[in-house]
Amino acid sequence: MSRRRVVVVGAGIGGLTAAVALHRRGWHVTVCERATEPPVTGAGIGLAPNALRALQAIDVDITRTTGSAVPATMGVRRADGRWLTRTGTADLAARYGLPPIAVPRPALALALATALPTEALRYGTAVTAVDDAVGRPVLRTEAGPDLRADVVVAADGIHSPLRRAYFPAHPGLRYIGETAWRALVEAPDLRIPAMSETWGRGERFGVTPLSDGRFYLYATAAVPAGARSADPRAELRRRFGSWHDPIPALLDRVDRLAPEDVLRHDLHELAAPLPRLHHGRIAWLGDAAHAMAPNLGQGGCQAIEDAVVLAHLLPAGDAGDAGDGGAGSDTIPAALAAYTAARRDRTDTVRVRARRVGRLGALRHPLAVAARDLAVRATPTRLALRGMDDLFDGFHLPDRPTR
């Protein structure tokens, strides 16, 4: 019996998680990535309890590679440093079974990539088209040769060419009105114990201790799409240099970085949910399926959930005839339909919620900001935690289809 073949388009976090999960279910996996090499720089990523449980479901312990240090507290502050809300991570661990952690994206990508056979990863391989998605797909690549697959996983990012090709009537992306800056810095001497996000008037600044001892910094501001400055370090200093400690000291570390090490991107979300997350034998996941604002820290977490659920629902890779018309292969369409049913509503709910939270953080009028801050401060911690239950406890593996 031959093995079923899956081609994953994109070696981001979601694509690599799908590749690992399907490899462990016996599939022959090929990952095609346009970039010529794995990322070595970049930002951090928060892994909430739901994402950590999804990784556990495929027997992946990323902390062996990334470390597992967690901050003592996490919460939201005002620009003068006053806490609006604060929660101990021990309380989160007690409620959800696991504390959230934050890791460097390159380290997470490496941890997933090393769980795959070396020959599964094809960097510098751009997929230009997928033909015959309803039958047995054929993938066209820039460099050739063509690849055949029983299933294609479209993890090709926020600008997903495959999404545009197969959902041409979809409205696509929408600018949410904010630009983000991201950077990783070394600052062990500052001894920052908390993961925090500070809200100002139309601006935010986040500080996240990473598992390797560095800090992931991010900032957002309401600016026109496409606006740029000559030096992002100077712009961050201008916008946030007068905010509470330790932000000025962290900006000193940012000043030591090369300008290109400060990432700047306009923020977009999918303007509407896709009608479904599959077409024929192509399944979309992560930003390609449901790009969302980063305000809940769930974009990567939902991509991981997608990948694990998709692999769980698909049949085992070494059962039945993996070619055309085999007795086992007819379960694939049902599995992809079940994937859409399991993931579309959950991910769109998270997408809408992330947008609403972002609107709160982006408020600019002084009276609106004062009312927002008062409301956040007045919310009891137990109610705030209860409001996260659907996110952090929302991951589960659905029943597999019988046909």
Side-chain angles (χ1 to χ4, degrees), residues 140-190:
R140 313 294 182 188
T141 65
E142 287 181 352
D146 295 342
L147 300 171
R148 291 189 175 273
D150 297 289
V151 170
V152 176
V153 176
D156 51 343
I158 189 169
H159 298 290
S160 175
L162 291 177
R163 183 184 65 227
R164 295 197 301 269
Y166 281 94
F167 298 101
H170 189 273
L173 298 174
R174 169 174 57 203
Y175 179 53
I176 67 172
E178 293 181 280
T179 286
W181 297 262
R182 296 175 294 163
L184 299 179
V185 299
E186 303 269 3
D189 55 305
L190 297 182

Side-chain angles (χ1 to χ4, degrees), residues 312-359:
H312 169 78
L313 290 171
L314 284 168
D318 56 359
D321 181 1
D324 299 85
S329 64
D330 59 1
T331 62
I332 289 176
L336 295 179
Y339 168 68
T340 283
R343 297 300 302 159
R344 183 179 179 274
D345 288 349
R346 172 162 169 79
T347 56
D348 194 56
T349 298
V350 177
R351 181 185 67 88
V352 172
R353 184 171 173 180
R355 182 204 309 154
R356 290 172 177 167
V357 171
R359 287 175 177 169

Side-chain angles (χ1 to χ4, degrees), residues 75-164:
V76 178
R77 307 173 81 169
R78 301 193 319 187
D80 62 4
R82 185 172 184 179
W83 288 95
L84 298 175
T85 180
R86 181 165 41 171
T87 303
T89 49
D91 295 333
L92 291 172
R95 188 177 186 92
Y96 301 113
L98 293 164
I101 65 172
V103 302
R105 274 185 182 268
L108 177 56
L110 176 62
L112 294 168
T114 53
L116 293 169
T118 303
E119 64 273 15
L121 295 164
R122 299 190 184 184
Y123 289 95
T125 304
V127 173
T128 57
V130 177
D131 298 338
D132 192 22
V134 176
R136 194 176 183 204
V138 178
L139 294 92
R140 313 294 182 188
T141 65
E142 287 181 352
D146 295 342
L147 300 171
R148 291 189 175 273
D150 297 289
V151 170
V152 176
V153 176
D156 51 343
I158 189 169
H159 298 290
S160 175
L162 291 177
R163 183 184 65 227
R164 295 197 301 269

